[in-house]
Amino acid sequence: MDKQSMWKAAAIVLAVTFLLVATGWPFGDDTRLGLAADPAPTATPKDGATPTPKPSDPTPTPKPPTPTPTARFGGCTPGFWKNNTQAWGPTGYAPGATLGSVFTFPAGFSSFGSATFLQALGYGGGAGLDGAARIMLRAAVAALLNAAHPGVSYAYSTSQIVGAVNTALASNSRETILTLATNLDTANNQGCPLSAAFSR
């Protein structure tokens, strides 16, 4: 091809290009040719893992209610009170106080009314109603001292103890008296918070 022909061909190409640009022909737009555009590439997770959708904010789980703590009781034994009369001060009771000044004794138990608190703490047991009463009164005096002492968190109040003892004595029943004695004895053995202070 001679130079003149090459110039003509170049002029034609430039003219066509100018015409296409002037008419707004969208170069690279395959939709004008009836072809669908290539879809956007889908991101492929690494290692072939399936992408996990981001969860929405979880609904907060309500916290369970805080359990109410079980009350912790204490109690000193008859032996402690018998051997540590110096610990009695805050209770308001004296070792020489009589049982009759606190408890109500029916006719069958009237002989116990003149006994002192300290004597009752040394009671043993025995047969019949008198034996049951000794066991109960020993536990009852210790219970009173525990309930009255500000340093002991006891299971019963002084009024509850006095009322229970009077009811048991009035029942004239060995079984009833011993049942109360057992309950009081259990409460008197819950651990003495005063032991450390008086064991020196």
Side-chain angles (χ1 to χ4, degrees):
M1 179 181 293
D2 57 21
K3 290 184 178 181
Q4 186 176 2
S5 298
M6 291 177 61
W7 283 111
K8 287 182 179 180
I12 293 172
V13 170
L14 289 173
V16 171
T17 302
F18 177 80
L19 178 63
L20 293 176
V21 172
T23 57
W25 183 271
F27 291 95
D29 187 356
D30 293 335
T31 58
R32 293 289 296 270
L33 301 178
L35 300 177
D38 291 337
T42 302
T44 302
K46 296 180 179 180
D47 302 327
T50 302
T52 303
K54 182 180 180 181
S56 57
D57 292 337
T59 302
T61 303
K63 295 181 179 180
T66 302
T68 302
T70 303
R72 171 65 178 166
F73 296 115
C76 302
T77 64
F80 170 83
W81 293 112
K82 178 183 177 183
N83 297 321
N84 294 281
T85 54
Q86 68 272 31
W88 292 36
T91 69
Y93 295 108
T98 62
L99 297 178
S101 67
V102 178
F103 303 116
T104 300
F105 291 94
F109 299 102
S110 59
S111 62
F112 289 104
S114 59
T116 67
F117 273 31
L118 190 59
Q119 288 174 329
L121 289 172
Y123 279 161
L129 288 173
D130 280 1
R134 290 190 188 93
I135 296 171
M136 180 189 68
L137 290 170
R138 179 173 184 262
V141 170
L144 271 181
L145 295 171
N146 281 320
H149 200 290
V152 181
S153 179
Y154 196 61
Y156 307 109
S157 66
T158 55
S159 60
Q160 288 177 318
I161 296 165
V162 171
V165 168
N166 290 343
T167 298
L169 290 171
S171 73
N172 208 38
S173 165
R174 177 178 170 86
E175 181 180 358
T176 299
I177 293 172
L178 289 178
T179 296
L180 177 59
T182 299
N183 292 340
L184 294 177
D185 186 60
T186 298
N188 292 338
N189 282 274
Q190 293 303 304
C192 183
L194 307 178
S195 295
F198 294 94
S199 63
R200 300 168 186 172

